[in-house]
């Protein structure tokens, strides 16, 4: 399906994350949409569905199947495409490591701040070439309206969660050293991931409300004596992703 064929109704919400996020109760998947962007292709075709009478779009950040490492995601193409399809709000799902003592595996937090440690990524639409130069305010990187909706859903569903968190976004794809986590903690960071930026700032540049649901999938390096394994990460995903999907479902059916 081409982008021209999409019904660009007002207030379309998009979910960016991995596979499995289309398993919301009551969701009817309709089709896949290919969008041509000035920045190249999106990570994957954008899936369109109907939930509670409203259009919802889904974009697999790392492709489908999962094959694109975090530092090579075409964040500009992804956000640009969603804007062209009429998206006004993005709910981003991110798997992260826990630094704060309250944020262990399978815990969910709705972060309120970001510190960007990435480098070499195409991190702005305002690069002085196609769109000139613009300096946007990014004091509060997440939409408080969306954060409030997610938190209300977590409370209503009695899902254990934290209503704060400073997200440290690192380059990846490797995990961090114990010394790097000490530094991040000293900087005031509570969780660490690899995909929160420049996704959040690109949404802000295009005027799209953006919020993050962070699922902690492991303790950050050095926070325990154990070595981080993919089996442990997958176990935390298996435990926590159902709660994430429940929060998304509750939010989407009630958020205007």
């Amino acid at each position: 399906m081409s982008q021209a064929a999409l019904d660009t109704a007002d207030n379309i919400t998009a979910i960016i994350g991995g596979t499995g996020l289309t398993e919301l109760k009551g969701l009817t998947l309709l089709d896949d949409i290919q969008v041509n962007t000035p920045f190249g292709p999106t990570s994957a075709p954008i899936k369109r569905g109907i939930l509670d009478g409203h259009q919802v779009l889904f974009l697999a950040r790392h492709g489908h199947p999962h094959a694109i490492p975090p530092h090579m995601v075409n964040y500009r193409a992804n956000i640009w495409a969603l804007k062209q399809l009429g998206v006004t709000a993005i709910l981003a799902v991110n798997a992260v490591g826990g630094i704060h003592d309250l944020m262990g595996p399978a815990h969910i937090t709705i972060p309120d701040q970001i510190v960007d440690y990435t480098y070499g990524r195409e991190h702005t639409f305002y690069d002085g070439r196609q769109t000139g130069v613009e300096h946007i305010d990014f004091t509060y990187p997440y939409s408080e309206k969306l954060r409030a909706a997610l938190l209300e859903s977590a409370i209503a569903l009695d899902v254990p969660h934290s209503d704060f968190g400073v997200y440290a976004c690192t380059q990846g794809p490797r995990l961090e050293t114990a010394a790097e986590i000490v530094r991040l903690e000293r900087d005031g960071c509570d969780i660490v991931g690899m995909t929160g930026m420049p996704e959040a700032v690109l949404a802000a540049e295009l005027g799209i409300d953006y919020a993050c649901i962070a699922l902690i999938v492991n303790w950050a390096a050095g926070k325990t004596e154990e070595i981080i394994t993919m089996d442990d990460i997958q176990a935390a995903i298996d435990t926590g992703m159902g709660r994430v999907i429940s929060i998304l479902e509750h939010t989407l059916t009630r958020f205007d």
Side-chain angles (χ1 to χ4, degrees):
M1 180 180 178
S2 71
Q3 66 193 80
L6 178 64
D7 176 16
T8 54
D10 290 338
N11 300 324
I12 298 175
T13 300
I15 297 173
I16 302 178
T19 56
L21 293 177
T22 56
E23 298 174 4
L24 281 70
K25 295 177 183 177
L27 174 69
T28 300
L29 286 175
L30 300 177
D31 45 29
D32 290 352
I33 308 164
Q34 297 279 0
V35 181
N36 297 320
T37 86
F39 309 101
T42 56
S43 294
I46 298 167
K47 294 185 177 295
R48 181 171 69 116
I50 298 293
L51 179 69
D52 198 33
H54 300 287
Q55 288 189 87
V56 183
L57 303 182
F58 299 87
L59 178 56
R61 185 187 287 115
H62 296 283
H64 187 67
H66 186 118
I68 306 172
H71 67 296
M72 296 187 70
V73 171
N74 193 340
Y75 295 97
R76 292 198 298 179
N78 289 349
I79 300 301
W80 183 275
L82 294 177
K83 177 68 173 181
Q84 296 311 297
L85 294 174
V87 167
T88 57
I90 293 173
L91 301 176
V93 178
N94 301 82
V96 300
I99 300 174
H100 193 286
D101 290 345
L102 296 177
M103 299 178 186
H107 188 70
I108 291 170
T109 189
I110 311 299
D112 56 350
Q113 279 294 335
I114 299 173
V115 181
D116 187 8
Y117 298 92
T118 65
Y119 51 87
R121 301 184 183 190
E122 295 287 356
H123 64 281
T124 180
F125 294 114
Y126 300 117
D127 56 10
R129 297 193 291 268
Q130 298 183 45
T131 49
V133 177
E134 184 87 17
H135 303 285
I136 68 159
D137 180 80
F138 200 53
T139 306
Y140 302 103
Y142 299 113
S143 163
E144 282 304 314
K145 177 175 63 176
L146 286 182
R147 290 189 69 251
L150 292 170
L151 291 168
E152 287 172 9
S153 293
I155 292 168
L157 296 168
D158 200 25
V159 173
H161 67 282
S162 296
D163 61 1
F164 69 95
V166 178
Y167 184 135
C169 190
T170 57
Q171 181 70 356
R174 68 168 177 84
L175 298 177
E176 298 73 33
T177 68
E180 287 170 333
I181 295 303
V182 170
R183 174 200 175 192
L184 299 184
E185 189 167 20
R186 187 170 61 241
D187 286 351
C189 300
D190 301 304
I191 54 177
V192 56
M194 303 173 190
T195 54
M197 288 290 283
E199 198 171 86
V201 72
L202 293 171
E205 287 186 346
L206 295 186
I208 303 173
D209 283 340
Y210 182 98
C212 166
I213 306 177
L215 173 62
I216 290 83
V217 298
N218 59 274
W219 284 112
K223 299 300 289 184
T224 71
E225 297 297 324
E226 303 299 323
I227 298 296
I228 300 169
T229 69
M230 291 308 300
D231 287 344
D232 290 339
I233 289 174
Q234 188 59 53
I237 291 173
D238 293 342
T239 299
M241 192 53 68
R243 300 170 189 167
V244 170
I245 290 173
S246 295
I247 291 173
L248 288 172
E249 180 184 285
H250 190 276
T251 302
L252 289 168
T253 56
R254 289 159 178 79
F255 179 70
D256 183 4

